[in-house]
Amino acid sequence: QKEVEQDPGPLSVPEGAIVSLNCTYSNSAFQYFMWYRQYSRKGPELLMYTYSSGNKEDGRFTAQVDKSSKYISLFIRDSQPSDSATYLCAMMSDTGGFKTIFGAGTRLFVKA
Amino acid sequence: SAVISQKPSRDICQRGTSLTIQCQVDSQVTMMFWYRQQPGQSLTLIATANQGSEATYESGFVIDKFPISRPNLTFSTLTVSNLSPEDSSIYLCSVDLGGAEAFFGQGTRLTVV
């Protein structure tokens, strides 16, 4: 079993839709939960970062962490064609060398 | 934040040859990380490079295949040696500044023919 599971998609939605991206994980020691966005032919860049459980909102983006279920989500409201990218979840614990574990990434297409 | 310049951005190499990828950071950092990104798979950490010491390799990656240099606090190279088609992938360098956020270079797309 992989430490982090993420559906690779692709996920195709119309412009303006609400997008839900999700990851599950197995390591209960993870405390840092990140979402990275990667455009084609570019490196990943950090979109959202949450420590421990709870929600965090930044504009059209909301990150949720449910540690009891080992489940994290990223919601995108009013999706735009410019949101078309691959979204990678990532996690890290406070111990074990602070190594970041990435999901496989979900490819998102937002159609105009 | 950190700005990372990685080159080459892409290359096509013959089997049996080697490719060296360079990564330059705009600030001094303790650790630099090298990742491989294969289609449909997660970013896989190859090794962690510290200045002044040998790189630390993850399980499944060895120094003979992926030699790394770290001559100073702003620069590192990764060489992929004795290339085979299975090495075709995107290779990324990354740094962190002490927090959870990682900063990445643009990646090197390697195709082995």
Side-chain angles (χ1 to χ4, degrees):
Chain A
Q1 181 188 7
K2 293 182 183 178
E3 278 191 283
V4 179
E5 298 274 3
Q6 183 177 13
D7 186 339
L11 180 61
S12 183
V13 302
E15 184 175 359
I18 297 174
V19 176
S20 173
L21 304 168
N22 311 291
C23 288
T24 59
Y25 63 95
S26 57
N27 188 347
S28 58
F30 287 141
Q31 292 280 22
Y32 300 88
F33 302 92
M34 291 77 75
W35 287 95
Y36 286 83
R37 179 174 60 195
Q38 185 176 21
Y39 290 115
S40 180
R41 305 189 189 285
K42 299 288 186 184
E45 55 180 355
L46 184 70
L47 192 60
M48 300 279 291
Y49 150 55
T50 307
Y51 179 75
S52 194
S53 282
N55 296 356
K56 188 171 185 177
E57 189 173 321
D58 184 1
R60 295 185 295 111
F61 299 88
T62 300
Q64 287 186 353
V65 175
D66 182 349
K67 292 191 72 180
S68 62
S69 301
K70 296 190 179 67
Y71 189 87
I72 71 170
S73 301
L74 176 71
F75 297 96
I76 307 174
R77 291 183 299 282
D78 187 25
S79 56
Q80 303 294 310
S82 58
D83 295 327
S84 298
T86 297
Y87 291 80
L88 300 96
C89 62
M91 305 173 192
M92 188 169 70
S93 69
D94 286 1
T95 58
F98 293 91
K99 190 166 75 171
T100 302
I101 307 298
F102 289 87
T106 300
R107 291 191 69 190
L108 172 66
F109 297 96
V110 181
K111 300 171 292 185
Chain B
S1 66
V3 177
I4 301 173
S5 174
Q6 183 176 342
K7 57 183 181 182
S9 58
R10 55 171 45 195
D11 207 342
I12 301 173
C13 299
Q14 298 288 326
R15 300 172 196 224
T17 64
S18 299
L19 175 69
T20 295
I21 303 166
Q22 298 180 2
C23 189
Q24 178 76 51
V25 190
D26 68 342
S27 58
Q28 295 185 338
V29 293
T30 303
M31 293 190 289
M32 295 178 74
F33 306 90
W34 288 98
Y35 288 88
R36 183 172 69 186
Q37 186 176 32
Q38 294 178 310
Q41 297 187 29
S42 57
L43 282 169
T44 303
L45 182 63
I46 297 171
T48 302
N50 292 317
Q51 194 267 336
S53 63
E54 276 198 10
T56 302
Y57 289 84
E58 298 298 307
S59 175
F61 299 96
V62 295
I63 188 171
D64 289 347
K65 177 69 175 177
F66 298 98
I68 287 171
S69 79
R70 183 78 201 275
N72 57 53
L73 290 173
T74 64
F75 187 79
S76 178
T77 68
L78 169 74
T79 298
V80 189
S81 304
N82 190 23
L83 290 167
S84 67
E86 292 72 37
D87 295 320
S88 296
S89 186
I90 297 172
Y91 294 85
L92 292 147
C93 68
S94 171
V95 303
D96 67 52
L97 301 180
E101 181 176 4
F103 299 90
F104 289 87
Q106 69 179 49
T108 297
R109 184 179 295 269
L110 168 63
T111 302
V112 182
V113 296

